[in-house]
Amino acid sequence: MNLADILVVMDRSPAADVRFELALAYASRHGARLNGIIYAEPGAAYLSWQDELAAQFIERCEEMDIDARWCGQGMDRLTHLAHASDLIVVGQTDARGSGTLPADLPERLVLISGRPVVTVPYTGRFIPRCERILVAWSGGRESGRALHDAMPLLRKAQKVHLVNMVTEKAAIDGAEERLEEIVGHLVRSGIRVKGEMVLSIDFPPGDMLLNRACEERSDLLVMGAYNKTGNGKAVLGPVARHILKQMTLPVLMSH
């Protein structure tokens, strides 16, 4: 299964160029249409620089022979297009305050879109191939949803490394068996995968994931985002929150 529609959220920050190149690579690899949009608060004025950005977007897509569409601006429009996309690419909040995207846009899109969202760090350069993928697996609904939403990317990857994170001593029993189950499922799905159980009881699991991604030279991290509270409300998990602040590579989350 290939991706058919990819939505990338653009802005004028330097990080937007890196984000755009990543979205272009995904679209080219999957034969997808790439839709570009600018986030804007309700009632925001349409600025002249947006026409220049739209022209650059279309020109670059034509250079790569990618089917493309410029979709204008607006949060309502963004939400509508997100529901009609297979993948959304957005930028991490810029802690230096130089970006134009709101602080909580990545997690908002994960929650409201029902689609996988790739958040790209606001600093750094990244190999736009998505060939070495690290999957954070906890055995819960959130990691299961993210894993299966990432299937089109996993099937085209050269290497998938699934890390079964055990963060409580009580969860050690049976962890190896549960790891074998999910690895076997992925193998039967045609994915080249290596499974590993990692104890992260006395070490922050978010830091462990970022360290492992560096060691594996991963170009994408796949993980769950939201958990349910006792009253049924969805809240961003502590590991996901840490990753969104400290990320060193693109991260796919879904809910």
Side-chain angles (χ1 to χ4, degrees):
M1 176 182 176
N2 282 339
L3 304 172
D5 280 280
I6 297 174
L7 178 65
V8 58
V9 183
M10 301 292 293
D11 66 307
R12 295 185 75 188
S13 69
D17 292 336
V18 177
R19 187 187 323 143
F20 184 29
E21 290 300 318
L22 193 72
L24 284 167
Y26 288 171
S28 178
R29 192 177 181 89
H30 289 267
R33 180 171 71 172
L34 185 59
N35 300 305
I37 192 169
I38 296 171
Y39 169 86
E41 295 288 354
Y46 189 89
L47 304 176
S48 59
W49 59 262
Q50 296 181 23
D51 292 329
E52 180 182 355
L53 184 59
Q56 293 171 350
F57 177 90
I58 296 298
E59 181 181 5
R60 185 74 177 100
C61 289
E62 289 177 347
E63 288 175 358
M64 295 186 62
D65 196 26
I66 291 172
D67 184 17
R69 180 176 59 151
W70 183 254
C71 302
Q73 70 167 40
M75 188 59 197
D76 288 343
R77 179 74 168 146
L78 172 56
T79 301
H80 170 73
L81 290 168
H83 294 156
S85 300
D86 298 306
L87 184 72
I88 303 162
V89 181
V90 69
Q92 178 196 22
T93 301
D94 191 339
R96 302 164 300 185
S98 62
T100 59
L101 300 179
D104 61 346
L105 184 58
E107 51 261 49
R108 282 166 59 188
L109 285 175
V110 172
L111 183 61
I112 68 176
S113 70
R115 297 292 185 267
V117 177
V118 172
T119 303
V120 184
Y122 64 79
T123 184
R125 308 294 298 187
F126 311 100
I127 299 174
R129 290 197 296 266
C130 196
E131 292 181 348
R132 301 173 66 90
I133 301 178
L134 182 71
V135 178
W137 179 255
S138 63
R141 178 203 178 278
E142 62 277 6
S143 59
R145 176 62 187 268
L147 175 71
H148 286 85
D149 280 353
M151 279 292 193
L153 299 174
L154 297 177
R155 288 194 172 98
K156 288 184 177 293
Q158 291 183 356
K159 179 181 179 181
V160 176
H161 192 112
L162 185 142
V163 175
N164 182 22
M165 296 188 301
V166 179
T167 59
E168 299 177 359
K169 291 182 179 179
I172 295 177
D173 290 343
E176 290 285 358
E177 181 179 353
R178 292 190 293 271
L179 176 61
E180 291 176 3
E181 287 287 350
I182 190 61
V183 168
H185 168 66
L186 293 177
V187 170
R188 288 188 293 275
S189 299
I191 295 170
R192 296 179 289 272
V193 58
K194 173 185 175 183
E196 176 187 10
M197 188 177 80
V198 175
L199 298 179
S200 186
I201 297 172
D202 300 318
F203 190 78
D207 290 335
M208 184 277 293
L209 282 173
L210 293 177
N211 290 344
R212 188 52 55 90
C214 180
E215 293 167 0
E216 296 290 328
R217 294 184 291 118
S218 304
D219 45 46
L220 181 70
L221 170 63
V222 173
M223 62 179 295
Y226 281 88
N227 299 318
K228 287 289 186 67
T229 62
N231 61 9
K233 182 180 179 181
V235 294
L236 191 66
V239 179
R241 186 175 301 279
H242 177 81
I243 293 293
L244 284 173
K245 288 182 178 180
Q246 306 296 332
M247 62 196 316
T248 55
L249 76 165
V251 178
L252 183 151
M253 296 181 178
S254 66
H255 174 67

